[in-house]
Amino acid sequence: MKEAIGDRFHAVLVDNGVMRLNECQTVKKQLGDHLGINLKVVDASDKFLDRLKGVTDPEKKRKIIGNTFIEVFESEAAKIDLENKESGHGNIEYLLQGTLYPDVIESISFKGPSATIKTHHNVGGLTKNMKLKLIEPLRELFKDEVRELGKILSIDEDLIWRHPFPGPGIAIRILGEVTPSQVAIVRAADHIFIEEIKKAGLYRKISQAYAALLPVKAVGVMGDKRTYEQVIALRAVETTDFMTADWFPFPYDVLKRISNRIINEVKGVNRVVYDVSSKPPATIEWE
Ligand code: XMP
C-alpha cells in the first residue's frame, strides 16, 4: 500500500494494553527498518483495560476490544483529516487491515448466532457501523498463501515467519478477568517461552506458540514454604491453515528448561502445564 499511494498511507498500531512484551516497539522497528514505514503507535491501553475491567466472558472481551479498536482508528483518522485540511489533502476514507480467510470463516455463523465459533476482532458485525470503508486484500487467503505473497513482494523473512498474534491479544489468553497484574504475569511467561523456542531452533517448525494464564490457584512448595499461586498453560501447535492443528511434540529437555525458567523467574506462578489438545475439538486460542 505504501508503494501504491506513498505519503497518503498512514500506518497506525493501536496499543491495546494486551500486546506481548515490548511488542509495539519491536513492530515499529521492524516495519521501519525493513519496509521504511513510519508506524505511529497510539497508546490506548488505559481505555481498553478500563473497559475490560470485571469482564470474564470470552465473547464479551472480544466484542469490547473489536469495538474499541474501531473507535480509536476513527479518532486517529479524524486527527489525520485535520492535519490534511491544513496542507490541502483529502480525508481518510479507507481502513486497510490484514484479515485472513480463517478469521472470516470462524466469525460468520452459517446457522445462526450460536454457531459462531469466535468473533474475530476484525470481522463482520463489529465493522458494520464503521464510517471508514474497509480494504482487506488478504481476506480470501490462508496464512501459507499470505507467506507466499510476502516472498514474492520480497518482505523480510523475519516478518514473513512471525507467528500470528490475535487482535484481542493476551486478553484472550488470560482466562477470567484481565488486570494489569495478570497481563504482567502472562507477558513474562510468554517471553521466556518464545525465547527458549527460538534458542532451541524450533520457532519455524512451530506454527504458533504462547503462554496462557489459568484462573485457578495451585499449591506448591518453594524452599521449605508452602506456595499458593497461579498456573501457566503452554500452547504450541503445528498447522498450515489454522483451521485444524496438532499440538507440537516438544523434546522433553526443552519443555523442562521452559518450565524451570517460568517457575523460577515469573512471580505469582508455581506450576506450568502443557496443552496436548488438537484442533478440533479444541481451538488454538483458549478463548
Ligand atoms: P482459533 O483459536 O480460532 O484461532 O483456533 C485460529 C487462528 O486465528 C487467530 N485468532 C485471531 N486473529 N483476531 C485475529 O486477528 C482475532 O480475533 C482472532 N482470534 C483468533 C489465532 O491466534 C489463530 O492463529
Side-chain angles (χ1 to χ4, degrees), residues 205-218:
K205 268 195 102 178
I206 296 171
S207 311
Q208 191 169 8
Y210 68 88
L213 185 58
L214 307 188
V216 286
K217 283 189 153 191

Side-chain angles (χ1 to χ4, degrees), residues 183-227:
V183 170
I185 292 176
V186 96
R187 265 187 187 151
D190 188 77
H191 189 70
I192 293 171
F193 187 28
I194 301 297
E195 197 171 78
E196 290 298 331
I197 286 175
K198 286 185 176 161
K199 267 197 221 157
L202 296 173
Y203 189 76
R204 284 216 196 160
K205 268 195 102 178
I206 296 171
S207 311
Q208 191 169 8
Y210 68 88
L213 185 58
L214 307 188
V216 286
K217 283 189 153 191
V219 174
V221 56
M222 193 82 113
D224 55 1
K225 281 213 178 76
R226 175 191 199 265
T227 60

Side-chain angles (χ1 to χ4, degrees), residues 50-70:
D50 214 48
R51 292 182 186 175
L52 286 169
K53 256 187 207 152
V55 180
T56 55
D57 178 75
E59 275 298 292
K60 275 197 191 131
K61 285 184 189 173
R62 286 174 166 275
K63 285 184 179 145
I64 289 171
I65 293 172
N67 287 326
T68 311
F69 262 125
I70 292 168

Side-chain angles (χ1 to χ4, degrees), residues 14-285:
V14 176
D15 182 351
N16 55 11
V18 281
M19 304 291 270
R20 288 171 292 196
L21 195 70
N22 305 327
E23 177 129 44
C24 295
Q25 298 90 314
T26 313
V27 172
K28 184 174 169 61
K29 188 165 177 337
Q30 278 182 324
L31 289 192
D33 289 352
H34 299 304
L35 299 171
I37 289 173
N38 180 18
L39 181 69
K40 178 175 182 188
V41 178
V42 179
D43 183 4
S45 20
D46 287 348
K47 187 176 271 185
F48 280 88
L49 291 176
D50 214 48
R51 292 182 186 175
L52 286 169
K53 256 187 207 152
V55 180
T56 55
D57 178 75
E59 275 298 292
K60 275 197 191 131
K61 285 184 189 173
R62 286 174 166 275
K63 285 184 179 145
I64 289 171
I65 293 172
N67 287 326
T68 311
F69 262 125
I70 292 168
E71 200 184 300
V72 178
F73 275 121
E74 288 195 324
S75 114
E76 281 310 305
K79 281 185 204 160
I80 299 168
D81 287 348
L82 255 182
E83 289 162 20
N84 279 354
K85 210 172 183 180
E86 280 155 24
S87 54
H89 290 294
N91 283 348
I92 298 287
E93 270 181 80
Y94 298 96
L95 176 69
L96 169 77
Q97 57 174 13
T99 308
L100 305 192
Y101 197 48
D103 304 342
V104 179
I105 297 176
E106 298 206 340
S107 298
I108 292 172
S109 136
F110 297 103
K111 299 184 195 136
S114 62
T116 301
I117 299 173
K118 326 188 161 179
T119 310
H120 283 225
H121 77 288
N122 44 348
V123 182
L126 292 181
T127 48
K128 229 175 25 215
N129 299 325
M130 199 173 62
K131 284 181 234 112
L132 296 167
K133 285 171 255 170
L134 276 182
I135 303 182
E136 299 177 310
L138 312 176
R139 195 180 162 90
E140 284 173 16
L141 302 185
F142 286 102
K143 192 78 178 175
D144 53 330
E145 297 170 319
V146 175
R147 288 195 164 123
E148 282 304 313
L149 188 64
K151 284 183 208 154
I152 295 168
L153 293 171
S154 305
I155 287 174
D156 186 74
E157 290 239 318
D158 277 353
L159 281 173
I160 291 183
W161 288 101
R162 260 168 72 87
H163 288 177
F165 182 62
I170 55 183
I172 54 166
R173 296 172 175 181
I174 293 170
L175 282 79
E177 190 184 357
V178 179
T179 62
S181 60
Q182 298 288 77
V183 170
I185 292 176
V186 96
R187 265 187 187 151
D190 188 77
H191 189 70
I192 293 171
F193 187 28
I194 301 297
E195 197 171 78
E196 290 298 331
I197 286 175
K198 286 185 176 161
K199 267 197 221 157
L202 296 173
Y203 189 76
R204 284 216 196 160
K205 268 195 102 178
I206 296 171
S207 311
Q208 191 169 8
Y210 68 88
L213 185 58
L214 307 188
V216 286
K217 283 189 153 191
V219 174
V221 56
M222 193 82 113
D224 55 1
K225 281 213 178 76
R226 175 191 199 265
T227 60
Y228 189 48
E229 308 275 23
Q230 298 193 88
V231 183
I232 282 286
L234 303 177
R235 180 89 164 128
V237 295
E238 283 177 299
T239 171
T240 44
D241 58 12
F242 293 82
M243 297 301 297
T244 61
D246 287 322
W247 53 275
F248 182 72
F250 262 108
Y252 284 161
D253 58 323
V254 181
L255 266 188
K256 197 169 168 180
R257 219 169 20 248
I258 293 165
S259 121
N260 280 344
R261 275 198 64 195
I262 293 177
I263 293 174
N264 287 326
E265 295 175 34
V266 184
K267 224 175 147 255
V269 174
N270 69 356
R271 203 172 279 255
V272 171
V273 297
Y274 186 50
D275 181 352
V276 288
S277 328
S278 293
K279 173 182 180 176
T283 51
I284 296 172
E285 303 291 345

